[in-house]
Amino acid sequence: GAVVSQHPSWVICKSGTSVKIECRSLDFQATTMFWYRQFPKQSLMLMATSNEGSKATYEQGVEKDKFLINHASLTLSTLTVTSAHPEDSSFYICSARTPGTSASYEQYFGPGTRLTVT
Amino acid sequence: EDQVTQSPEALRLQEGESSSLNCSYTVSGLRGLFWYRQDPGKGPEFLFTLYSAGEEKEKERLKATLTKKESFLHITAPKPEDSATYLCAVQEGKAAGNKLTFGGGTRVLVKP
């Protein structure tokens, strides 16, 4: 299957600082990438949809000024958590959609990034 | 609003004891149903995509089936390495951008 990487795999930052997480599709071009967050023992919650060359589409309740998403190329999307607070501590996972029609595609996930804000 | 419900929440099996996981959904028009496996501290691993009622797909000890209202993930003669959380997700027909809505997952523990 297709491979999606994330960097870093874990990060600890101080409250008030910003953190950038990278998501890369390694062996395919992804016009669409997605960002999720997952709290312990809970399922994935979609934060935003990232389309290459255009603005991200945020889910209801997700602050677009706090979670900045950039999809500058067909293989890279970044999520920047600005002015992080302890409540932003979570497991952030990206996914990338493989090329194809919407009737036949697969979505592959990265390994996740554990963010801890102290 | 789309609803995806997985049951049971947790499942404890003896090695070799076959069982099934359920994923019930209500969407305005199903475009695709996805099954993933997730190990602790890792991202979900893609297993299957099902697109229409009656479709079945298999991979090793796993078999996924789909009806108009639910999907089943059958685990045949499981081994301890099948222990994981299994997630299902649906893509709705009217969604822009092909976003997925996930169920709560089923945590499977297979004891040797």
Side-chain angles (χ1 to χ4, degrees), chain A residues 17-37:
Chain A
T17 62
S18 296
V19 174
K20 179 184 284 188
I21 303 170
E22 293 185 348
C23 176
R24 294 181 185 273
S25 55
L26 297 185
D27 51 1
F28 65 99
Q29 293 184 329
T31 55
T32 304
M33 291 184 172
F34 304 86
W35 286 96
Y36 296 82
R37 66 187 298 180

Side-chain angles (χ1 to χ4, degrees), chain A residues 34 38 43 59 97 103 105 107, chain B residues 36 38 43 51 97-99 103:
Chain A
F34 304 86
Q38 186 177 35
S43 193
E59 294 300 298
R97 174 179 177 267
Y105 81 97
Q107 196 175 126
Chain B
Y36 290 88
Q38 186 177 26
Y51 294 103
N98 305 297
K99 66 179 183 179

Side-chain angles (χ1 to χ4, degrees), chain A residues 15-84:
Chain A
S15 186
T17 62
S18 296
V19 174
K20 179 184 284 188
I21 303 170
E22 293 185 348
C23 176
R24 294 181 185 273
S25 55
L26 297 185
D27 51 1
F28 65 99
Q29 293 184 329
T31 55
T32 304
M33 291 184 172
F34 304 86
W35 286 96
Y36 296 82
R37 66 187 298 180
Q38 186 177 35
F39 292 106
K41 296 189 177 181
Q42 293 188 24
S43 193
L44 281 72
M45 295 298 295
L46 180 66
M47 298 175 66
T49 301
S50 169
N51 292 295
E52 187 266 338
S54 64
K55 290 183 178 180
T57 302
Y58 291 81
E59 294 300 298
Q60 193 172 9
V62 178
E63 299 176 59
K64 60 180 65 176
D65 294 331
K66 181 171 186 59
F67 298 99
L68 302 179
I69 292 172
N70 183 272
H71 193 158
S73 77
L74 288 172
T75 59
L76 173 65
S77 177
T78 60
L79 168 68
T80 302
V81 183
T82 63
S83 187

